Amino acid sequence: MNALRDVVVDRPRILDLGTGSGNIILALLNRLPAAFGVALDLSTDALRIASSNADSLQMSDRCSFHEADFAQLHKSDKIPSELRNELRRGFDLIVCNPPYYSTKDQLHMSTSSRKHEPRMGLITDGGSYKCYEDICRSIRECRNSGVEILRRHTGRLIFEVSSRGANQVQEICESIADMTLESLSKDSYNLDRCLTFRPNEKQPHPTQPKPPPPPSLSQHPRTINIYPT
């Protein structure tokens, strides 16, 4: 929630990728009463639960739910027309807590996670960073086709990462989606857990000086503890 300080518009539009039960998007809408949310997931069961939760919280008029694959956002024939229209309008905030356990990692997962969480929400068969790569590629390809899913001047992309994945995710966002790390948040164990990125400005004219290189995680551009004392 501390990352919300980077939202600079009065009526932000929020996109939640892989919403699951809807807990992230609904918490954000609760914190930002003027915001509107769009959430998607591949699981119809998850979408049914998320929609029910929105109804219970009287937020169903502030969030739409769609069955879609976040790796296919740039493929118009793979996206429902209603969601396609929402994507064209752009978003000020894109949030995602993707599955980041590989098939090998599941051997080390807690019994609680294996028992209560759906496999789709935890494990990715393409390696720990595949979902991050897919999302960044979708954002880039949409931009290349003239659709700014993440608004260039006000937009922020927020990823949750594994306890050892921050550097790799930063590299993916910088190299694939042309973004800059703006801040990072730590968990209760003081591990990097939530990364906030902003799109880089459009490339300068050749006669203009190039902007300085983005900071690395080792420089910690801004560190936020999400469990302040």
Side-chain angles (χ1 to χ4, degrees), residues 15-24 38-43 46-47 66 68-70 95-99 120-121 135:
L15 176 63
D16 183 12
L17 303 176
T19 191
S21 65
N23 60 319
I24 292 177
V38 174
L40 57 91
D41 205 289
L42 274 175
S43 169
L47 290 170
H66 308 268
D69 184 351
F70 54 54
V95 295
C96 184
N97 177 17
M120 181 187 293
I135 291 168

Side-chain angles (χ1 to χ4, degrees), residues 45-139:
D45 288 338
L47 290 170
R48 176 178 50 79
I49 293 171
S51 180
S52 175
N53 287 338
D55 288 339
S56 298
L57 295 169
Q58 298 183 337
M59 291 184 181
S60 56
D61 60 334
R62 297 179 54 209
C63 189
S64 61
F65 297 92
H66 308 268
E67 183 181 355
D69 184 351
F70 54 54
Q72 306 286 334
L73 297 181
H74 57 293
K75 298 181 179 179
S76 59
D77 60 325
K78 303 291 186 181
I79 299 297
S81 59
E82 190 176 325
L83 175 58
R84 194 159 59 241
N85 292 334
E86 294 287 3
L87 295 177
R88 290 194 184 107
R89 296 179 61 187
F91 294 90
D92 304 290
L93 185 63
I94 297 178
V95 295
C96 184
N97 177 17
Y100 47 68
Y101 290 106
S102 68
T103 50
K104 293 180 180 179
D105 292 333
Q106 64 182 312
L107 299 175
H108 308 289
M109 289 168 54
S110 68
T111 302
S112 167
S113 294
R114 290 198 301 267
K115 183 177 180 180
H116 299 292
E117 297 289 341
R119 185 184 189 279
M120 181 187 293
L122 293 174
I123 299 169
T124 172
D125 294 326
S128 298
Y129 303 103
K130 183 179 186 301
C131 291
Y132 301 102
E133 293 170 347
D134 287 344
I135 291 168
C136 286
R137 194 170 293 112
S138 278
I139 292 173

Side-chain angles (χ1 to χ4, degrees), residues 1 4 14 16 22-33 57 59 62:
M1 288 297 180
L4 294 180
I14 306 172
D16 183 12
N23 60 319
I24 292 177
I25 188 65
L26 296 176
L28 291 172
L29 294 179
N30 182 64
R31 183 65 69 89
L32 299 169
L57 295 169
M59 291 184 181
R62 297 179 54 209

